[in-house]
């Protein structure tokens, strides 16, 4: 109490100790007086601090199994149940119980598999949760807190259990931030689209995907064709809903580029329909035999392609991405959770409705789930047990954030710092054409040139000047490395690891192709690099040594794209090295299984069979 | 002060306030008296609490740029420098500075790329660190703390900066736990194998791997052949060092199985040598053209295989794993960091020495780094910027822990809960043979059978009894699911998700193949499953629908193994779905790059070229 007093007094707040005994609460007069006392104290801006009057307590049996707190006649046996009792008695708007952990977990908080439960739903969680060891700090572990919280919440006072370690947690709770575990008697009504269902959606998508895989190739093809037809048939309603999103976006004053990406023009819809039909007609990707080996007589091993499972795709603005990704998922036999931007909310909803309407009942329309609430992203990213791959399609910031916060593999790229190196043997006219395209064609693209490296000899024979003039003519703002800024008298860049995404570019002089390679390894993002050179030996050194997802000779970096690479629809471009690298099409959504067919073969310490290891043709 | 007083008094400790002014420290007599006062207070078990005597302070200029604290004549300008000054003056054994973050970070603590620096090395960190915004809580942000810490440490008092939020941090510091950032004048001497070098080792391995890739296939082959020769030539010294490890292990009373895994018998060495030579002679895996497409006239795209980069392999007991993995890394052009078990310390050291001795200088022996200290694992697992893949080879616990604590992709499996389903159409003799092998051949293996599922009809015609008798004859302890335990009168298992890794097995009755598939999806670990059935339609349903890394028909689960699959040496068995699945050989250590060769081709809003998309043969 002295500590409370001291700490409140530092804030110029007066506090007042109220010691109560459990028996008191049986007395209606006492309860009335208690309310009055607290009201008076609060009117005087005095904070009441309750505790049990231990010195004169006569209580022996612990409170438990009583008729909860609903009739306010229960007794308490620890500070948690006292708090619950008081919250009800005093008709508190909210009860905050502070713990030594972040809130209620699905299992012992020390177990990495345990997950923080944001919203407690009695029907769901009561039987599911396993509590860890009781906190060593006195009575009132998590079990006691949950009992008190459930009692108070179902009697009408919402409760939040959160950590007392972070000093601003109470303020964050009052601000409505999503921390700790909330207990509310109506929780079962509003958790249907919260974490409960993120998990359920993923499980349903996986189950549907398994049924999708069982279909034969022709049946999957028919789903895609039906999807294309449905998009055509529903074009007017799709455009209507999209028009509403666009109107809202214009009213909100969003920038033109975003509105352009958001708008589903008739030609965009027809091109989408076309690409869905193309995917329908592509060679069946599932069940392809990748390798076939005779291990021993009549023991045949096959490595076959199969879907990854459940994909989570998080995309911004472009509603057409929803259609492309859904088609890719169906083609590759995967379940899908989609999370679109709020600016395309109505467009996404109608597209999702149109697409799922044609999924046959044998598969189930839960194959493709549309997640709508923004706060669900953190919950989704925790589902590493049911989601197999996350594909973020959006800003660098979005991608970096997602990579930083999930254990689910992420396919994508944060930075696209692409280099063009112009060798001394370059055809300067070709180099001008390539750097112009690489920078100007679409400056905001991830495959646009951000850094131009030029062989030192070109700074002496006018080549560099021609290249620089070409870019400046197009209005490109140039920043130099230490050598180039000196030579060209332009501003020096503060970093070589810079993605402008606009009409700007870094220029630097390098001594030769090896210096260029070193520069790229040191400052690049391993996305796409290009060498312009006539000397094929120099070019091959660059192609073989530059360790990026895509390395080009005498061609614009802008070619790094799934469609231009002929992969059909593109999932994204990966700068990761695991699983898929560079532009990713259907292949990146597949994994493999090993199928072994025998007739009673056993290992028996490797004396069971005589290994033959014959490669067999993959077409049986 | 009142707060300190109150809180210490709760522990029955008396505290005493000492207010000092900066000018005092110029006075030798004062400094002498200060020491005496503090000594007396400590003798009386009174805790001195220092603060600046603000009320009478006349100081104007901040302390900084002075001759540090080394001559104890400096003045202070915040509590951090006062603390440093006092620590020296009072000849403290240790100075603990409490902050609002865990310690000193390599950049702003809010930036996810920033890493906690465990050991501050002036020469290394002084220029590297970028400080974030100053803490809002008064003067004395991290810059001030580091200045004070450096001054005190180099004058002789070690300093630790740690968080003041966790109440037990001071106790943990005194226990010698590795929290916060330590400053010590000799730090540069003992950080050579700590985090500094984990990062440097990884970078050196990557640089060496790039040089290894530049070699031609024959040169890489020669390295492997030289490695095999070196192992043969040094066999006696390898066995000598290994013998010392084995003797130590025996003395420590380790279990027999571990000692057997640890021992490098002559036949094990010669089989290792043989497998290295086999890898030397395998088809070159790097630079394989996986796909070749003409995108447009004279614009040729190739997808080629290339190394992943740097692998971290954490293995227990078996020193032969070191040789296998090193050979696989060289074959696949990857850099490698190896972390072996302490029980094989001397064996690993000599094997590492022998292997790296034959790596040519053009590549550099840092291609393969041996990490020796146990505490380095957490540091290594943080290096997601320089390590591309972690392969844990050891217990389930090791694998789960690693998966739970790193953002680097992990290749491996935690559980191996393999099922054998015996259909009603099974040949019972074959089923007996297969379940016997799957359980008995090596019960501790991850591909051993843990659950036997039996078609309900077999429980009526004696088939089940035969299967059960077969296992019991071999001493297998059986536990039943609800149906089987009832029927067979055996103990009921408390969970179907159970890996016994011993002569024990779960048995359950299922209604048909689909019930078996559901059971496996629900309770399995997606490792290896087998169906024993004569009806090929039933078998194909099982093979096509069971979603595990390996699915077998009429063959023992024990075949799931890289060597038995004919993949050569095995990296491990992956139950992940991303990148590599099932037994993983060289292929799992490779990724790909896209190489595009043109002659000045540009995109120009896709009007630059006419796309042709012709598949070309992969052999040019």
């Amino acid at each position: 109490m002295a500590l409370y007093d001291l700490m409140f007094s530092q804030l110029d707040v007066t506090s007042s100790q109220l010691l109560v005994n459990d028996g008191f609460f049986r007395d209606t007069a006492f309860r009335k007086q208690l309310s009055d006392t607290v009201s008076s104290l609060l009117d005087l801006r005095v904070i009441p601090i309750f505790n049990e009057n231990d010195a004169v307590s006569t209580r022996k049996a612990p409170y438990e199994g009583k008729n909860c707190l609903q009739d306010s006649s229960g007794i308490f046996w620890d500070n948690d149940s006292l708090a619950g009792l008081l919250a009800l008695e005093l008709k508190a708007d909210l009860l905050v119980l502070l713990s030594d952990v972040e809130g209620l977990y699905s299992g012992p908080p020390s177990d990495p598999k345990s997950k923080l439960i944001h919203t407690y739903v009695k029907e769901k969680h009561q039987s599911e949760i396993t509590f860890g060891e009781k906190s060593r700090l006195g009575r009132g572990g998590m079990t006691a807190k949950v009992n008190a919280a459930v009692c108070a919440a179902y009697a009408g006072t919402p409760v939040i259990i959160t950590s007392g370690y972070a000093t601003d947690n109470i303020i964050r709770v009052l601000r409505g931030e999503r921390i700790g575990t909330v207990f509310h008697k109506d929780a079962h009504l509003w958790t249907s689209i919260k974490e409960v269902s993120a998990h359920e959606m993923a499980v349903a998508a996986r189950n549907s995907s398994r049924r999708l895989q069982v279909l034969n190739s022709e049946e999957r093809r028919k789903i895609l064709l039906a999807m294309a037809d449905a998009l055509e048939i529903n074009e007017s309603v799709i455009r209507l809903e999209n028009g509403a999103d666009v109107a809202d976006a214009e009213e909100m004053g969003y920038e033109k580029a975003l509105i352009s990406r958001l708008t589903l023009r008739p030609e965009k819809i027809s091109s989408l329909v076309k690409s869905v039909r193309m995917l329908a007609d592509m060679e069946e990707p599932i069940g392809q035999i990748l390798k076939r080996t005779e291990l021993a007589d009549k023991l045949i091993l096959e490595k076959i392609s199969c879907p990854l499972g459940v994909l989570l795709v998080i995309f911004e603005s472009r509603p057409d991405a929803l259609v492309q990704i859904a088609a890719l998922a169906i083609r590759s036999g995967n379940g899908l959770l989609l999370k679109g931007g709020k600016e395309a909310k109505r467009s996404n909803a109608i597209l999702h409705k149109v697409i799922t309407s044609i999924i046959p009942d044998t598969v189930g329309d839960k194959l493709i789930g549309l997640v709508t609430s923004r706060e669900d992203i953190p919950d989704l990213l925790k589902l590493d047990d049911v989601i197999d791959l996350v594909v973020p399609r959006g800003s660098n910031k979005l991608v970096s954030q997602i990579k930083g916060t999930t254990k689910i593999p992420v396919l994508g790229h944060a930075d696209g710092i692409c280099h063009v190196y112009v060798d001394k043997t370059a055809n300067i006219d070709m180099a001008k054409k390539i750097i112009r395209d690489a920078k100007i064609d679409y400056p905001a693209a991830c495959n646009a040139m951000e850094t131009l490296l030029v062989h030192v000899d070109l700074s002496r024979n006018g080549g560099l000047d021609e290249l620089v003039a070409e870019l400046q003519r197009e209005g490109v703002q140039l920043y130099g490395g230490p050598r180039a800024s000196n030579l060209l008298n332009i501003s020096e860049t503060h970093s070589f690891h810079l993605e402008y995404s606009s009409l700007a570019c870094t220029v630097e002089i390098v001594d030769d192709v090896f210096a260029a390679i070193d520069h790229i390894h040191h400052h690049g993002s391993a996305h796409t690099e290009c060498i312009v050179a006539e000397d094929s030996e120099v070019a091959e050194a660059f192609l073989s040594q530059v360790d990026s997802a895509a390395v080009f000779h005498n061609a614009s970096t802008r070619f790094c794209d799934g469609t231009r690479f002929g992969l059909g629809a593109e999932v994204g471009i990966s700068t990761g090295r695991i699983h898929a690298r560079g532009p990713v099409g259907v292949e990146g959504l597949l994994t493999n299984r090993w199928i072994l067919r025998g007739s009673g073969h056993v290992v028996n310490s490797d004396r069971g069979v005589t290994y033959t290891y014959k490669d067999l043709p993959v077409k049986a």
Side-chain angles (χ1 to χ4, degrees), chain A residues 20 65 76 120 140 184-185 215 229 260 264 267 354 385 406 409 438 445-446 458 534 552 562 581:
Chain A
V20 293
F76 58 89
Y120 180 90
H184 191 287
K185 67 177 163 48
L215 301 187
D229 294 345
S260 148
L264 286 174
E267 58 275 19
V354 167
D385 49 341
T406 185
C446 63
L458 298 182
E534 292 300 300
F552 296 174
R581 200 173 182 207

Side-chain angles (χ1 to χ4, degrees), chain A residues 302-490:
Chain A
E302 286 177 358
K303 184 179 182 180
I304 65 167
S305 62
C306 67
L308 277 178
V310 177
L311 319 174
L312 166 63
V313 181
I314 299 169
F315 58 106
E316 290 174 339
S317 21
R318 296 178 176 272
D320 47 323
L322 186 152
V323 178
Q324 277 182 39
I325 293 161
L328 277 168
I330 292 172
R331 181 74 277 184
S332 58
N334 285 290
L336 180 61
L337 299 186
L338 287 160
K339 176 78 186 72
K342 66 174 185 316
E343 64 286 349
K345 199 173 154 189
R346 294 179 65 170
S347 314
N348 289 339
I350 185 67
L351 288 169
H352 178 251
K353 195 174 161 192
V354 167
I355 289 171
T356 50
S357 71
I358 54 81
I359 297 176
D361 291 343
T362 47
V363 173
D365 61 3
K366 288 185 175 156
L367 179 72
I368 300 175
L370 183 66
V371 184
T372 45
S373 150
R374 179 155 207 148
E375 301 96 274
D376 279 339
I377 294 187
D379 286 329
L380 288 164
L381 293 177
K382 281 176 201 146
L383 301 175
D384 55 334
D385 49 341
V386 276
I387 295 177
D388 298 292
L389 187 71
V390 181
V391 184
R393 290 181 54 148
S395 64
N396 298 11
K397 204 182 143 201
L398 176 80
V399 179
S400 297
Q401 276 180 348
I402 288 173
K403 285 195 174 177
T405 52
T406 185
K407 287 195 186 303
I408 310 173
V410 179
L411 191 151
H413 62 275
D415 302 319
I417 302 172
C418 302
H419 298 73
V420 176
Y421 164 62
V422 181
D423 190 58
K424 68 173 174 182
T425 69
N427 170 333
I428 289 293
D429 284 334
M430 185 195 287
K432 279 156 67 179
K433 203 170 123 192
I434 287 175
I435 63 170
R436 194 177 168 284
D437 191 72
K439 184 73 252 182
I440 314 295
D441 191 54
Y442 187 10
C446 63
N447 57 15
M449 172 179 76
E450 306 294 346
T451 303
L452 171 64
L453 299 174
V454 181
H455 191 287
V456 65
D457 287 3
L458 298 182
S459 66
R460 294 169 193 142
N461 66 10
L464 174 64
D465 295 331
E466 276 195 62
L467 297 173
V468 162
E470 181 75 17
L471 291 174
Q472 284 176 332
R473 192 165 28 242
E474 297 289 343
V476 177
Q477 182 71 41
L478 295 178
Y479 299 91
R483 294 171 74 175
S485 62
N486 224 335
L487 203 68
L488 298 170
N489 199 20
I490 52 177

